[in-house]
Amino acid sequence: MAVPDMRLTVDHATVQRGAWSLFADGTFSDGIHLVSGVVGSGKSTLALVMAGLFVVTSGTVKRDGIKSMMLSMQFPEFHITGLSVAEECESWGLDTGTVIRSARLEISGSVSPLSLSRGELKRLHLACILARKDDLLLLDEPFSSLDCGEKERLCSQLNARSQGITVIFTHEQSAFPRVDQIWEIQNGELFNVGKMPEALVRWQHAPALIKKLLDAGKCPANLTPDAIREAACRTHGSG
Amino acid sequence: MQDARIRLGSAALLSVAAFISVEGACAVFIWWLLFTPRMRSVRNRSMILGMLALIGVVAAMIMISGGNWVSYFARMGVILLVGMWLYTEQEHGDLLSVAVWAFGNRAGFELGMVGECAMQVAEALSGDFSRIQFAMRLKGDVWGIKKLVPAGLILIHDAMVRADTITELLAARGYQKGGTLCPKFRTGPVDLLAGTCAICVLIFALIPVSEFFILYR
């Protein structure tokens, strides 16, 4: 049976908070979307709007074909509802042992989640989130508090998501999964920069390395380490 | 109200007046109607409803035990209104300025800085609380009494982490004791009138109402 197309449509949504405002208009379909923007540009607010947890001043947010949704907030503490790691895993409907192994943590299920370091807690939280396989996955700064190895592992897990919409809100500059579309928030407005790799040349918040490669006439096929390495090693005329 | 000294002083006097008696609370309520933007001064209505509910629970317990629950509810409710007004009108640096003005650059600075830090935590708590509620909705959990314990623990934990970070930052910047500040205040005619009225309200609350009608008796 064919899986119906999933679509998240943000239709002329406006958020007004005093002098600060955010305007978003666009459709997010299957694949991995990267929403970039400077700190304070409204990435977290947009994530809450898309999750339906923030009432917009005007406009609408529509979900077509999306049966389940999850938002991962930047700070994992906010997601804790259990007094122990085991209770926390149960609150997600997951087996404690499986989650601990998946997060590569060496802890007991009886410890308090608040006794874990921010990095450990983030790993535990992401393991819970990724185990659910939701149709729409909204990740607000998923790479914060993770070391390089864990960032790479998260990218691999995101790449392995076989279907659904993944939206990553981040100002991360070094670790990325295979991205399908780039968006950016500038001056209070969400812009669709375009699909990969054409979007790279128009991407204002592109990491310095990407800009350098583009200046050298080497456009990487994607943002994954392999794609960047391939572009960097490319000799003129071979690509 | 522009002058932070008069604002803080008035709030302290009014809180005492409202606590002393129901008559005092009524006078404070009239002061609140006259000198504040009234309900516009309530920044977070759900928070005030929650606090009113908390006062209501205690009032119900007083009622069950045969005490004067009306008096308690009225007095605490008015104190809550004054507190909400003070919280909304407060600007960053007000507590530090008033404390330095009152107690000098050493003890005053320390006291003011502690107050400012507390205000920062209070502001952050409100944001943290709504995020915790968002997370519960995402998990399909329903907000209830059972969820108060983990939510409270997270809020306390985050406040402690913030306090730790601020302490380390201050130490890293070489902070030891006191500081230098030349506080400046703007005093308008309404400030003086409101301050004088707040003193009158306290005097009214301290004197038994029957004394006003002594000639009548």
Side-chain angles (χ1 to χ4, degrees), chain A residues 153-172:
Chain A
R153 207 164 71 84
L154 174 61
C155 288
S156 310
Q157 286 172 310
L158 292 174
N159 288 336
R161 254 171 73 84
S162 54
Q163 64 177 60
I165 307 169
T166 308
V167 189
I168 302 168
F169 301 84
T170 186
H171 56 258
E172 169 69 33

Side-chain angles (χ1 to χ4, degrees), chain A residues 111-185:
Chain A
V111 299
S112 163
L114 292 174
S115 68
L116 304 179
S117 72
R118 171 66 71 74
E120 287 175 324
L121 192 57
K122 186 86 179 185
R123 280 156 65 185
L124 180 81
H125 164 67
L126 287 170
C128 293
I129 290 257
L130 292 167
R132 287 170 46 102
K133 306 197 187 316
D134 290 290
D135 289 346
L136 172 61
L137 184 57
L138 303 164
L139 302 168
D140 186 8
E141 298 293 359
F143 303 106
S144 68
S145 314
L146 297 181
D147 58 31
C148 292
E150 282 302 316
K151 282 180 184 178
E152 272 181 35
R153 207 164 71 84
L154 174 61
C155 288
S156 310
Q157 286 172 310
L158 292 174
N159 288 336
R161 254 171 73 84
S162 54
Q163 64 177 60
I165 307 169
T166 308
V167 189
I168 302 168
F169 301 84
T170 186
H171 56 258
E172 169 69 33
Q173 294 278 292
S174 58
F176 298 99
R178 172 195 40 76
V179 172
D180 294 295
Q181 194 154 355
I182 295 179
W183 304 73
E184 64 187 335
I185 300 176

Side-chain angles (χ1 to χ4, degrees), chain B residues 118-183:
Chain B
M119 288 298 288
Q120 265 186 16
V121 169
E123 274 174 31
L125 279 180
S126 149
D128 289 359
F129 185 65
S130 22
R131 282 185 190 89
I132 291 168
Q133 284 181 312
F134 285 158
M136 284 184 180
R137 275 169 64 187
L138 284 168
K139 281 185 184 176
D141 283 348
V142 182
W143 178 252
I145 301 282
K146 272 187 181 174
K147 303 294 173 193
L148 277 175
V149 177
L153 280 175
I154 295 159
L155 290 175
I156 293 167
H157 172 264
D158 286 358
M160 301 287 275
V161 169
R162 277 198 192 98
D164 248 2
T165 312
I166 292 170
T167 314
E168 281 165 10
L169 265 173
L170 286 171
R173 289 180 179 189
Y175 181 81
Q176 285 184 324
K177 219 171 229 180
T180 310
L181 185 78
C182 300

Side-chain angles (χ1 to χ4, degrees), chain B residues 59-77:
Chain B
M61 285 162 73
I62 292 171
M63 186 174 71
I64 292 163
S65 59
N68 189 351
W69 67 275
V70 180
S71 161
Y72 175 82
F73 191 78
R75 287 180 297 139
M76 295 312 285

Side-chain angles (χ1 to χ4, degrees), chain B residues 63-101:
Chain B
M63 186 174 71
I64 292 163
S65 59
N68 189 351
W69 67 275
V70 180
S71 161
Y72 175 82
F73 191 78
R75 287 180 297 139
M76 295 312 285
V78 171
I79 290 173
L80 185 65
L81 287 177
V82 172
M84 280 296 188
W85 160 73
L86 182 69
Y87 178 65
T88 312
E89 294 265 304
Q90 202 75 7
E91 285 175 21
H92 288 293
D94 275 356
L95 286 175
L96 189 61
S97 298
V98 174
V100 168
W101 170 78

